[in-house]
Amino acid sequence: MDIPGGPATANPVWVGSSELTMTPDGLRACIDAGAGAVVAKSVNESAAARRQLDIADYAFVSPGGEVRPPGVAQRGDGLLNRSGLAQPTLDEWLAMLAGAVAYGAARGCPVLGSITLGDPAAAARIGGAMAEVVPAVELNIGAPHGREASAVRQLTEADAVGAAVRAVRATVDVPLLVKLPGQASDVVALASAARSAGADGIGLVGRYPGFLPDLDGGAVLGSWGAWGSPACLPMSLYWVSKTRLALGPDVPLIGTNGARNAADVLRFLASGAGAVEIVTALWTDGPRVVAELVEGVLSYLDTRGLDLAGFVGSAVRRARGYPDIAPVRPPAWLRYSGPSGR
């Protein structure tokens, strides 16, 4: 997916914003791994959001419920974490970004800036400064930590989304991508509001608020946190596909939350996303996983003679609404009514 009005991207596997993209070494590692684009760690105006990084913690949860530390995590694990934002001053951060942008540009990999919303006016000021350095800006208004910490905000109402995006759009003269939460009554309405307010592309969806008792009288991480896992994939794809239907194929969508392998990336693409941000798979397997996913996606398309642009949204084009589905004879529920069939 090419960023509208911005640089071309070599492939649809992007690296999302996280602690893995918070340092020059981390950004270079993701670029060298062959990512289509890399989103740097988010910043905002809040000192409290920066201090929150000092209490960051991470727990990986296996499909069977085993809680594992990062060193022994496996690809299929879910991630429950508590995090904060990048801690350098804005001037220091922009200087670091400028170096990463130049490094990525020489290797065909755009490096994007990211702002996690706190105060919209402050986000607009940061966005204006960031736009002088990066080829595109991601505005994250879907951070689940916004439900736990006042230093960041999670917007779930269309009017608030529209107001925040308009404020940032007024100062950002490069492509603006808006990342939305998955926990809202109508994510499609949020996407429509963001698009109407000037977003060039929509990211779907942020991770969910999470809580997990440790069964020893406390809680994993000792607090609430943010949750993403392979089990979130169908939930993420629901909103990607519905947004594709509502906004049409001309609005670029970036999928996130649930992709761990090439098949997951392909499912995002078939649901209407033009690119997919990967984070947790890099925590478990390192940046080398990017090349694996790129190869898997391109190989699948090549062996079937499929064009990437044509494949994007292909499942949505074939999906039908409930009223359009013909009755099944005999009714399917008979096959699932118990061993006796009754």
Side-chain angles (χ1 to χ4, degrees):
M1 182 191 85
D2 291 348
I3 301 170
T9 57
N11 65 70
V13 180
W14 295 12
V15 176
S17 170
S18 77
E19 284 82 330
L20 301 171
T21 62
M22 193 168 63
T23 65
D25 286 347
L27 288 163
R28 285 194 294 266
C30 294
I31 293 166
D32 291 341
V38 177
V39 185
K41 177 68 172 172
S42 291
V43 298
N44 77 4
E45 76 288 353
S46 171
R50 296 191 291 274
R51 287 194 300 270
Q52 192 173 305
L53 190 65
D54 294 332
I55 61 166
D57 202 359
Y58 317 87
F60 293 82
V61 184
S62 76
E66 178 187 358
V67 179
R68 302 191 264 228
V72 296
Q74 298 180 18
R75 179 91 63 91
D77 291 353
L79 171 62
L80 181 70
N81 85 313
R82 187 176 56 241
S83 186
L85 303 187
Q87 293 185 326
T89 68
L90 182 58
D91 286 344
E92 292 169 339
W93 187 248
L94 294 178
M96 190 275 291
L97 277 182
V101 167
Y103 186 87
R107 291 156 180 81
C109 177
V111 174
L112 283 56
S114 179
I115 304 166
T116 292
L117 185 69
D119 173 63
R125 292 194 297 271
I126 294 170
M130 194 174 280
E132 297 180 5
V133 174
V134 298
V137 172
E138 178 186 86
L139 174 64
N140 183 3
I141 59 177
H145 302 293
R147 293 177 177 264
E148 306 303 324
S150 60
V152 297
R153 295 178 63 192
Q154 182 186 74
L155 303 184
T156 58
E157 299 297 331
D159 289 347
V161 168
V165 174
R166 277 191 295 274
V168 177
R169 174 80 283 174
T171 64
V172 172
D173 58 3
V174 297
L176 177 64
L177 311 178
V178 177
K179 186 174 181 180
L180 300 175
Q183 191 176 51
S185 60
D186 189 350
V187 176
V188 174
L190 304 187
S192 297
R195 177 66 173 173
S196 297
D200 294 293
I202 307 293
L204 300 149
V205 289
R207 292 185 297 140
Y208 296 88
F211 182 74
L212 189 64
D214 61 18
L215 301 185
D216 289 323
V220 173
L221 302 183
S223 73
W224 291 261
W227 172 252
S229 81
C232 292
L233 182 65
M235 301 155 68
S236 300
L237 300 184
Y238 179 89
W239 290 120
V240 170
S241 61
K242 288 292 188 178
T243 302
R244 169 81 172 199
L245 277 176
L247 300 187
D250 294 333
V251 178
L253 306 180
I254 303 94
T256 184
N257 192 357
R260 298 292 192 274
N261 54 44
D264 295 339
V265 174
L266 286 161
R267 287 189 168 99
F268 264 112
L269 299 176
S271 299
V276 183
E277 291 184 5
I278 306 296
V279 174
T280 306
L282 274 79
W283 278 106
T284 59
D285 287 46
R288 64 182 178 82
V289 73
V290 173
E292 174 194 322
L293 300 188
V294 172
E295 171 60 25
V297 169
L298 298 183
S299 176
Y300 176 90
L301 297 175
D302 182 62
T303 57
R304 289 160 178 78
L306 300 173
D307 171 73
L308 175 59
F311 184 75
V312 170
S314 56
V316 179
R317 293 192 291 272
R318 297 184 181 124
R320 292 169 291 170
Y322 285 13
D324 300 322
I325 298 174
V328 177
R329 295 289 181 252
W333 62 266
L334 287 174
R335 300 197 297 272
Y336 304 102
S337 58
S340 66
R342 294 193 301 273

